[in-house]
Amino acid sequence: MDQSYIMKKILFLLFMSVTGVICYGQQGDSSVTVGKAELDSLRKRIERLESGSGDGVRSSERKPEYKIGGWLEARFMYNSYASKSPRENLMFYYPLKPEYGPDGRDINDRGSLNFSVFSSRLSFGVGGVEVGRAKLSTYLEADFLGSSDAFNYMLRLRQAYIDIAWSDNLFRIGQTNHLTFPENMVPATVTFNGGTPFATLNRGPQIRYSRHFKRNIDLSVAAEYYSSHKSVGPEKAQINAAIPDIHARVEFGDPDKIMGGFAAGYKFFEPRTSDAEGNKVSRMVATFDVNAFLAFTANGYKFKVWGIYGQNLTPYGIIGGYGKRLGDSEYGDYRYTNIYSMSAWFDFSTPSYSNIAFGFFAGYQSNLGSLADIDTSVGYYRDCDLRWFSRLSPRLYYYMGSRMRFGLEYSYANAQWMKKYDERFRSVEDYSMSETHRVEFQARFYF
């Protein structure tokens, strides 16, 4: 029997098995995506086939090309102080506020250590399909983080989209990264969540159109609905509003030299459809956000800086939220007021010296409060009693060939929590500052 026919059968059965398990799995928080390189490599090979180079196959005989990839990794994580670290300490956000017992000692002043392998990842791409002038490709990506701490080690869908490309245009439909997350701007941290919560974390179903212009300018617009990365508040607040998250992003320059850009958009929520007495209400709350980024590469040294500012940034994993405007009736169709936040990070990395590379990450995030008084007892918030927090993280990578990598990172993180605050979430009295020292070790094998 023809060997190519047998290989296609094996790939088809493997694809169906992986797809079936992914569709059955649940979704939830996770790290940022870094698996796009496999699909880019696939597309380059497809372009060589289309140009007639490489294998001499005639145009009429071109067939889809498949790419299976991913990695297996093990991680050790130690924190010197109790921190917000879901997924069995795999994700790392910030140290918790002090919590004093009757004896006056801080019960959060304790260390923790864990070992994990469920951040391992699978990816599957298909390309080389042509319909008229359009080139079609697909991409699937999954890991084993499940939907929450209760479902760790369960297969979970990260990305699943279809690309339709023609000329300088790209139409994408499916689940992928939010436009506030430029794929070329991922911090190279050892810490699993790649700069989160300073960097945005959001993947959801969307329809996106992108166009490449002359002089290395790219424009993207997208309409997105949230799946696992939702805003704080009622689960169906965005669905009730019946308006998707609308964002646009402009990028310019060459990612291998110097590049930059900015993005902006609006989000809409309708938290309630009826009041406490059962009467119909339909008050919506709209929020905006803007972000900008810049990256510079020279002789293998990479510098990246990114920042975001806006209202209710909780869909992106950032502190904030919204609440009932103070003075409005307790019942009925009352108004809402948003909380402002900002977040920024900087990342630096060196080229490899004798298979060793170094880097440094710094991040800062702040709760900016609201412009109007809020009834702080009625609302939807994510740690709005946290004034600000920051992190400094030097790192080291060691490479064993092109498929094996070891990483070691130390992080110093601190957080300033409020003991008392006013109706605009501005500090009246603070706790003593919380601090933690985190050490993380990673071993990763690419396949």
Side-chain angles (χ1 to χ4, degrees), residues 381-397:
Y381 315 114
R382 174 176 291 145
D383 293 336
C384 280
D385 53 343
L386 177 55
R387 281 182 59 196
W388 59 265
F389 62 96
S390 66
R391 185 192 306 169
L392 302 175
S393 302
R395 63 179 180 267
L396 177 150
Y397 281 118

Side-chain angles (χ1 to χ4, degrees), residues 313-382:
L313 301 181
T314 61
Y316 314 139
I318 296 174
I319 58 176
Y322 59 98
K324 172 181 168 291
R325 184 170 298 190
L326 190 66
D328 282 12
S329 170
E330 182 178 357
Y331 302 105
D333 214 359
Y334 52 71
R335 296 169 294 175
Y336 299 93
T337 296
N338 286 299
I339 297 168
Y340 289 75
S341 305
M342 64 80 58
S343 186
W345 58 262
F346 165 79
D347 191 70
F348 164 73
S349 58
T350 72
S352 177
Y353 301 101
S354 300
N355 298 324
I356 297 176
F358 303 91
F360 178 80
F361 174 86
Y364 175 83
Q365 190 171 133
S366 178
N367 170 11
L368 303 178
S370 63
L371 298 182
D373 292 348
I374 295 177
D375 183 345
T376 57
S377 65
V378 182
Y380 313 104
Y381 315 114
R382 174 176 291 145

